[in-house]
Amino acid sequence: MTVELETIEISGVGNPDLADRVGNTVADLAAAAGIAPVEVFFDLLRRDQLATTILQHVGHEENVRAIMAHPGHMGGSDALLVGARPHPRAWGTFPRYLGRYARDLGALELAECVHHLTGRPAERLRLRDRGLVRAGYAADLVVFDPETVLDTATFENPKQQACGIQHVIVNGEFAIRDGAATGRRAGRALRRGDTGTAPVSDVGRHEALR
């Protein structure tokens, strides 16, 4: 397997003496130091005591859209919320689906896109009281403007709140209200098959997000 070191960018370090490495690729650091990229790679890990985080610039847009349109597809993010410059998907994955792919490109209908991000993952993971707006389900709700929702996070400035999201309610409590974070953290880790002990939505028995 060939590792394309020019695609590996340093996103965070634990050792403050290595902060100048953040934002550079392994290939860039190797060229500046005049040594082999693999030496830069292992030297950085050693000096940072394995605290280094990275992101990779990979992927093909045509493949992304084709996979996204498949009826078995589910949306999600594996981004790490650590480091000085994490991958912008940490802040932008879901508004990017709604704004760029559903509204701007038409890769998905808006309702289908929402279901990709909510009901379908909950069903696949057997989270029995989440993913839909339904009486008896946990009150996890996002209020957004479909005309303005959009990610603003970039590789250079990744910690940027999305546009067009007015409210985020987690387990019945506002995490974002009128576009501003409240500081409340009412979420909890879930296991497959979990049922809710949290406040529930009482907006009727229709599947509004499906």
Side-chain angles (χ1 to χ4, degrees):
M1 178 178 177
T2 301
V3 178
E4 298 177 343
L5 294 174
E6 66 275 7
T7 70
I8 300 177
E9 179 181 326
I10 309 305
S11 62
V13 293
N15 183 347
D17 294 337
L18 302 172
D20 61 340
R21 273 66 165 178
V22 174
N24 292 284
T25 68
V26 173
D28 291 337
L29 295 173
I35 59 177
V38 69
E39 293 185 35
V40 169
F41 180 77
F42 285 112
D43 181 65
L44 181 58
L45 292 179
R46 178 185 59 81
R47 294 179 60 190
D48 205 25
Q49 297 184 338
L50 304 181
T52 309
T53 56
I54 66 150
L55 56 85
Q56 276 193 279
H57 298 275
V58 296
H60 301 279
E61 184 68 16
E62 294 85 2
N63 292 344
V64 168
R65 295 189 205 177
I67 293 169
M68 185 181 297
H70 190 279
H73 175 265
M74 302 181 299
S77 174
D78 62 352
L80 299 175
L81 298 172
V82 297
R85 289 174 61 170
H87 197 289
R89 65 174 174 253
W91 288 64
T93 291
F94 301 102
R96 189 171 184 83
Y97 267 101
L98 298 167
R100 174 175 169 78
Y101 289 107
R103 182 190 62 231
D104 297 342
L105 299 179
L108 294 165
E109 294 294 330
L110 180 61
E112 179 65 12
C113 184
V114 170
H115 188 52
H116 268 57
L117 306 177
T118 56
R120 186 169 293 158
E123 181 180 6
R124 181 73 58 83
L125 297 174
R126 302 177 191 171
L127 303 177
R128 289 178 283 175
D129 62 352
R130 284 167 171 79
L132 301 174
V133 179
R134 177 180 286 177
Y137 276 45
D140 296 337
L141 302 168
V142 177
V143 179
F144 67 92
D145 184 343
E147 298 299 322
T148 62
V149 64
L150 191 66
D151 60 305
T152 63
T154 64
F155 285 102
E156 293 74 26
N157 197 1
K159 299 180 181 180
Q160 297 298 306
Q161 186 167 316
C163 297
I165 298 178
Q166 287 86 9
H167 309 301
V168 176
I169 300 169
V170 179
N171 282 335
E173 296 189 31
F174 280 97
I176 293 177
R177 188 164 194 168
D178 297 323
T182 65
R184 296 179 183 174
R185 298 180 179 179
R188 64 183 181 88
L190 298 175
R191 294 181 180 274
R192 181 177 294 181
D194 270 359
T195 57
T197 58
V200 299
S201 170
D202 191 23
V203 297
R205 298 191 61 79
H206 60 290
E207 297 185 6
L209 298 184
R210 194 171 180 91

XYZ file of all heavy atoms in Angstrom, residues 91-154:
508
model
N -17.366 20.603 11.850
C -18.362 21.653 12.038
C -19.339 21.740 10.864
O -20.391 22.363 10.996
C -17.668 23.010 12.196
C -16.959 23.187 13.502
C -15.877 22.470 13.953
C -17.281 24.110 14.536
N -15.505 22.907 15.205
C -16.340 23.918 15.588
C -18.240 25.092 14.681
C -16.361 24.669 16.756
C -18.253 25.842 15.849
C -17.327 25.619 16.868
N -18.993 21.126 9.729
C -19.773 21.418 8.538
C -20.457 20.279 7.828
O -21.146 20.508 6.834
N -20.310 19.031 8.296
C -20.844 17.902 7.527
C -22.339 18.029 7.227
O -22.763 17.965 6.070
C -20.595 16.574 8.272
O -19.198 16.300 8.264
C -21.323 15.424 7.592
N -23.148 18.203 8.239
C -24.601 18.120 8.051
C -25.174 19.341 7.330
O -26.010 19.187 6.435
C -25.274 17.838 9.384
C -24.782 16.552 9.992
C -23.857 16.543 11.022
C -25.205 15.333 9.477
C -23.367 15.351 11.544
C -24.727 14.129 9.997
C -23.802 14.144 11.028
N -24.752 20.563 7.663
C -25.230 21.693 6.849
C -24.732 21.633 5.409
O -25.397 22.142 4.505
C -24.683 22.928 7.583
C -23.607 22.419 8.479
C -23.997 21.029 8.845
N -23.609 20.974 5.166
C -23.143 20.811 3.788
C -24.070 19.884 3.010
O -24.366 20.129 1.833
C -21.705 20.285 3.774
C -21.071 20.299 2.368
C -19.588 19.974 2.459
N -18.913 20.063 1.192
C -18.444 21.167 0.639
N -18.602 22.337 1.277
N -17.827 21.158 -0.526
N -24.508 18.817 3.644
C -25.520 17.963 3.013
C -26.748 18.787 2.629
O -27.237 18.724 1.496
C -25.970 16.874 3.991
C -25.252 15.574 3.909
C -24.251 15.242 4.823
C -25.594 14.628 2.943
C -23.605 14.013 4.767
C -24.959 13.400 2.887
C -23.964 13.099 3.800
O -23.340 11.886 3.745
N -27.280 19.533 3.601
C -28.533 20.237 3.402
C -28.413 21.391 2.414
O -29.312 21.604 1.584
C -29.040 20.766 4.748
C -29.352 19.706 5.809
C -29.529 20.365 7.170
C -30.597 18.916 5.432
N -27.301 22.127 2.509
C -27.133 23.299 1.662
C -26.545 22.997 0.300
O -27.178 23.248 -0.733
N -25.363 22.422 0.278
C -24.685 22.183 -1.000
C -25.332 21.053 -1.794
O -25.693 21.231 -2.963
C -23.207 21.865 -0.762
C -22.457 21.458 -2.031
C -20.962 21.276 -1.775
N -20.299 20.658 -2.892
C -19.951 21.270 -4.018
N -20.246 22.554 -4.173
N -19.332 20.635 -4.988
N -25.487 19.887 -1.163
C -25.894 18.718 -1.933
C -27.396 18.652 -2.187
O -27.821 18.261 -3.287
C -25.396 17.446 -1.244
C -23.905 17.300 -1.361
C -23.071 17.498 -0.274
C -23.319 16.996 -2.582
C -21.692 17.382 -0.385
C -21.946 16.884 -2.715
C -21.134 17.079 -1.614
O -19.777 16.976 -1.747
N -28.216 19.019 -1.209
C -29.668 18.968 -1.429
C -30.160 20.215 -2.155
O -30.807 20.116 -3.199
C -30.396 18.797 -0.102
N -29.874 21.391 -1.622
C -30.424 22.617 -2.217
C -29.695 23.025 -3.494
O -30.315 23.234 -4.546
C -30.355 23.765 -1.208
C -30.950 25.071 -1.744
C -30.651 26.238 -0.827
N -29.221 26.466 -0.723
C -28.571 26.587 0.440
N -29.231 26.490 1.586
N -27.264 26.810 0.460
N -28.375 23.168 -3.430
C -27.634 23.749 -4.546
C -27.407 22.781 -5.704
O -27.514 23.173 -6.875
C -26.285 24.288 -4.053
C -26.439 25.411 -3.041
O -27.546 26.003 -2.971
O -25.464 25.697 -2.312
N -27.093 21.536 -5.406
C -26.769 20.579 -6.456
C -27.904 19.629 -6.795
O -27.872 18.966 -7.835
C -25.524 19.773 -6.054
C -24.245 20.582 -5.831
C -23.109 19.670 -5.407
C -23.864 21.346 -7.091
N -28.895 19.539 -5.929
C -30.014 18.657 -6.196
C -29.662 17.181 -6.183
O -30.352 16.361 -6.789
N -28.589 16.826 -5.487
C -28.199 15.413 -5.405
C -29.221 14.591 -4.647
O -29.367 13.384 -4.886
C -26.825 15.290 -4.736
N -29.947 15.233 -3.742
C -31.007 14.594 -2.960
C -32.149 15.586 -2.786
O -31.918 16.796 -2.715
C -30.508 14.189 -1.575
C -29.453 13.101 -1.453
C -28.872 13.135 -0.048
C -30.055 11.745 -1.740
N -33.379 15.078 -2.728
C -34.490 15.920 -2.281
C -34.271 16.256 -0.813
O -33.701 15.460 -0.055
C -35.816 15.200 -2.475
C -36.193 14.945 -3.925
C -36.469 16.223 -4.685
O -36.930 17.198 -4.046
O -36.227 16.251 -5.907
N -34.736 17.423 -0.396
C -34.475 17.859 0.973
C -35.001 16.863 1.997
O -34.292 16.511 2.951
C -35.099 19.235 1.220
C -34.900 19.803 2.633
C -33.417 19.975 2.948
C -35.625 21.141 2.773
N -36.229 16.389 1.835
C -36.796 15.447 2.808
C -35.985 14.157 2.857
O -35.750 13.599 3.933
C -38.253 15.149 2.466
N -35.554 13.681 1.692
C -34.737 12.470 1.651
C -33.379 12.712 2.302
O -32.843 11.846 2.996
C -34.554 12.013 0.204
C -33.695 10.770 0.039
C -34.300 9.515 0.649
O -35.489 9.533 1.019
O -33.584 8.509 0.745
N -32.829 13.901 2.095
C -31.550 14.238 2.724
C -31.678 14.233 4.246
O -30.815 13.691 4.942
C -31.099 15.622 2.232
S -29.478 16.117 2.850
N -32.743 14.822 4.760
C -32.966 14.826 6.210
C -33.059 13.401 6.727
O -32.493 13.055 7.773
C -34.225 15.642 6.559
C -34.602 15.454 8.028
C -34.008 17.118 6.264
N -33.777 12.553 5.994
C -33.911 11.162 6.426
C -32.564 10.436 6.389
O -32.290 9.577 7.238
C -34.922 10.441 5.547
C -35.263 9.068 6.038
N -35.671 8.823 7.330
C -35.253 7.869 5.416
C -35.906 7.531 7.484
N -35.652 6.920 6.338
N -31.718 10.778 5.427
C -30.356 10.225 5.375
C -29.589 10.510 6.665
O -28.724 9.728 7.067
C -29.573 10.868 4.217
C -29.641 10.114 2.931
N -30.823 9.803 2.301
C -28.658 9.625 2.142
C -30.569 9.155 1.181
N -29.262 9.032 1.063
N -29.889 11.661 7.277
C -29.120 12.121 8.429
C -29.777 11.799 9.766
O -29.157 12.009 10.810
C -28.928 13.643 8.340
C -28.329 14.172 7.044
C -28.273 15.696 7.078
C -26.943 13.598 6.793
N -31.008 11.293 9.745
C -31.756 11.121 10.997
C -32.388 9.738 11.112
O -31.891 8.856 11.791
C -32.842 12.211 11.109
O -33.688 12.167 9.935
C -32.238 13.599 11.213
N -33.512 9.563 10.434
C -34.269 8.327 10.588
C -33.539 7.081 10.129
O -33.610 6.030 10.785
N -32.855 7.176 8.994
C -32.185 5.982 8.472
C -31.047 5.516 9.380
O -30.964 4.321 9.685
C -31.683 6.235 7.053
C -31.103 4.991 6.392
C -30.861 5.227 4.914
N -32.110 5.393 4.206
C -32.226 6.019 3.033
N -31.158 6.548 2.469
N -33.392 6.120 2.431
N -30.147 6.393 9.848
C -29.124 5.929 10.782
C -29.715 5.364 12.077
O -29.226 4.360 12.595
C -28.293 7.190 11.058
C -28.524 8.064 9.880
C -29.932 7.795 9.456
N -30.761 6.012 12.593
C -31.375 5.512 13.828
C -31.958 4.120 13.624
O -31.834 3.238 14.486
C -32.458 6.480 14.301
N -32.587 3.906 12.461
C -33.151 2.593 12.172
C -32.054 1.544 12.008
O -32.146 0.433 12.545
C -33.994 2.672 10.901
C -34.662 1.372 10.518
C -35.485 1.511 9.255
O -35.442 2.584 8.616
O -36.171 0.533 8.895
N -31.009 1.896 11.275
C -29.921 0.944 11.042
C -29.216 0.572 12.337
O -28.814 -0.577 12.536
C -28.919 1.565 10.054
C -27.740 0.678 9.685
C -28.151 -0.451 8.764
N -28.768 0.013 7.538
C -28.079 0.422 6.462
N -26.770 0.423 6.473
N -28.712 0.818 5.379
N -29.052 1.539 13.227
C -28.362 1.301 14.496
C -29.312 0.836 15.593
O -28.900 0.661 16.734
C -27.642 2.580 14.933
C -26.533 3.050 13.994
C -25.985 4.397 14.445
C -25.408 2.029 13.897
N -30.583 0.669 15.245
C -31.601 0.170 16.181
C -31.742 1.065 17.410
O -31.870 0.585 18.541
C -31.281 -1.270 16.597
C -31.186 -2.235 15.423
C -30.793 -3.614 15.874
N -30.457 -4.466 14.723
C -29.919 -5.665 14.827
N -29.662 -6.185 16.021
N -29.630 -6.366 13.749
N -31.728 2.349 17.160
C -32.007 3.323 18.220
C -33.507 3.583 18.174
O -33.996 4.344 17.348
C -31.198 4.602 17.991
C -29.688 4.399 17.894
C -28.995 5.717 17.605
C -29.143 3.775 19.183
N -34.235 2.956 19.064
C -35.665 2.778 18.877
C -36.515 4.005 19.149
O -37.681 4.033 18.807
C -36.143 1.607 19.736
C -35.657 0.257 19.211
C -36.096 -0.880 20.106
N -35.276 -0.941 21.316
C -35.498 -1.780 22.319
N -36.540 -2.583 22.275
N -34.700 -1.818 23.358
N -35.970 5.033 19.772
C -36.799 6.203 20.048
C -36.141 7.480 19.541
O -36.327 8.546 20.091
C -37.091 6.319 21.550
C -35.814 6.505 22.371
O -34.714 6.380 21.789
O -35.927 6.775 23.572
N -35.409 7.360 18.442
C -34.730 8.517 17.874
C -34.815 8.491 16.355
O -35.107 7.473 15.764
C -33.272 8.565 18.341
C -33.155 9.039 19.790
C -31.767 8.798 20.346
N -31.608 9.427 21.634
C -32.067 8.942 22.781
N -32.722 7.798 22.774
N -31.894 9.574 23.914
N -34.559 9.653 15.762
C -34.482 9.742 14.310
C -35.736 10.240 13.633
O -35.708 10.593 12.457
N -36.858 10.290 14.327
C -38.122 10.767 13.778
C -38.769 11.738 14.757
O -38.499 11.698 15.960
C -39.085 9.605 13.521
C -38.619 8.510 12.564
C -39.641 7.369 12.560
C -38.414 9.052 11.165
N -39.626 12.606 14.227
C -40.449 13.465 15.086
C -41.740 12.705 15.349
O -42.610 12.592 14.484
C -40.742 14.816 14.411
C -41.610 15.682 15.319
C -39.439 15.541 14.084
N -41.846 12.157 16.530
C -42.971 11.265 16.833
C -43.198 11.262 18.342
O -42.263 11.328 19.125
C -42.659 9.855 16.334
C -43.698 8.828 16.643
C -43.298 7.460 16.117
N -43.433 7.370 14.674
C -43.081 6.295 13.965
N -42.544 5.251 14.571
N -43.257 6.282 12.664
N -44.449 11.207 18.756
C -44.768 11.130 20.185
C -44.057 9.932 20.800
O -44.069 8.833 20.251
C -46.272 11.009 20.386
N -43.438 10.157 21.962
C -42.713 9.103 22.648
C -41.252 9.010 22.279
O -40.504 8.256 22.894
N -40.830 9.782 21.274
C -39.428 9.781 20.867
C -38.671 10.904 21.581
O -39.258 11.907 21.989
C -39.306 9.976 19.356
C -39.451 8.701 18.561
C -40.475 7.785 18.842
C -38.580 8.409 17.525
C -40.613 6.620 18.122
C -38.714 7.243 16.793
C -39.729 6.348 17.097
O -39.862 5.192 16.370
N -37.364 10.727 21.734
C -36.535 11.769 22.341
C -36.640 13.047 21.513
O -36.654 13.008 20.289
C -35.082 11.311 22.417
N -36.716 14.171 22.194
C -36.894 15.465 21.527
C -35.551 15.985 21.028
O -34.947 16.878 21.608
C -37.554 16.451 22.479
N -35.073 15.375 19.946
C -33.863 15.820 19.259
C -34.304 16.509 17.973
O -34.767 15.845 17.037
C -32.951 14.641 18.915
C -32.415 13.930 20.148
O -32.365 14.555 21.221
O -32.034 12.756 20.021
N -34.191 17.820 17.896
C -34.738 18.585 16.784
C -33.753 19.654 16.317
O -33.023 20.234 17.131
C -36.039 19.270 17.198
C -37.168 18.368 17.708
C -38.265 19.200 18.346
C -37.733 17.529 16.563
N -33.743 19.897 15.012
C -32.958 20.986 14.430
C -33.908 21.856 13.617
O -34.626 21.347 12.749
C -31.828 20.460 13.529
C -31.085 21.627 12.873
C -30.854 19.605 14.329
N -33.912 23.147 13.899
C -34.727 24.098 13.149
C -33.786 24.891 12.252
O -32.909 25.610 12.737
C -35.499 25.040 14.089
C -36.321 26.042 13.287
C -36.380 24.250 15.045
N -33.964 24.731 10.925
C -33.060 25.404 9.994
C -33.843 26.020 8.840
O -34.981 25.624 8.552
C -32.007 24.441 9.459
C -32.546 23.337 8.579
C -32.621 23.487 7.206
C -32.980 22.139 9.135
C -33.122 22.484 6.400
C -33.476 21.117 8.340
C -33.554 21.291 6.960
N -33.231 26.975 8.175
C -33.816 27.632 7.009
C -33.267 26.945 5.761
O -32.070 27.043 5.480
C -33.447 29.116 6.994
C -34.099 29.882 5.851
O -34.571 29.246 4.892
O -34.107 31.123 5.911
N -34.090 26.234 4.999
C -33.582 25.515 3.833
C -33.013 26.425 2.756
O -32.234 25.964 1.911
C -34.806 24.748 3.321
C -35.981 25.479 3.867
C -35.544 26.039 5.180
N -33.357 27.714 2.800
C -32.844 28.641 1.796
C -31.458 29.182 2.138
O -30.741 29.659 1.248
C -33.818 29.822 1.636
C -35.197 29.420 1.159
C -35.161 28.764 -0.206
O -34.371 29.209 -1.057
O -35.924 27.794 -0.413
N -31.077 29.111 3.397
C -29.802 29.723 3.796
C -28.837 28.767 4.483
O -27.665 29.118 4.679
C -30.047 30.922 4.739
O -30.702 30.460 5.934
C -30.901 31.979 4.067
N -29.294 27.572 4.859
C -28.400 26.659 5.582
C -27.182 26.338 4.723
O -27.281 26.053 3.534
C -29.150 25.376 5.994
C -29.613 24.564 4.785
C -28.299 24.538 6.929
N -26.004 26.416 5.330
C -24.763 26.180 4.594
C -23.613 26.074 5.573
O -23.577 26.776 6.590
C -24.486 27.318 3.618
C -23.361 27.079 2.596
C -23.744 25.968 1.623
C -23.043 28.350 1.840
N -22.650 25.195 5.263
C -21.443 25.113 6.070
C -20.527 26.286 5.736
O -20.462 26.745 4.596
C -20.712 23.792 5.809
C -20.297 23.645 4.351
O -21.176 23.745 3.463
O -19.102 23.437 4.086
N -19.816 26.783 6.737
C -18.849 27.869 6.530
C -17.437 27.448 6.912
O -16.498 28.207 6.704
C -19.240 29.118 7.355
O -19.186 28.800 8.749
C -20.639 29.591 6.998
N -17.285 26.266 7.495
C -15.967 25.788 7.918
C -15.078 25.529 6.701
O -15.530 25.002 5.680
C -16.106 24.514 8.742
N -13.804 25.897 6.803
C -12.835 25.668 5.740
C -11.606 24.983 6.340
O -11.449 24.908 7.563
C -12.393 26.989 5.092
O -11.697 27.790 6.084
C -13.591 27.773 4.571
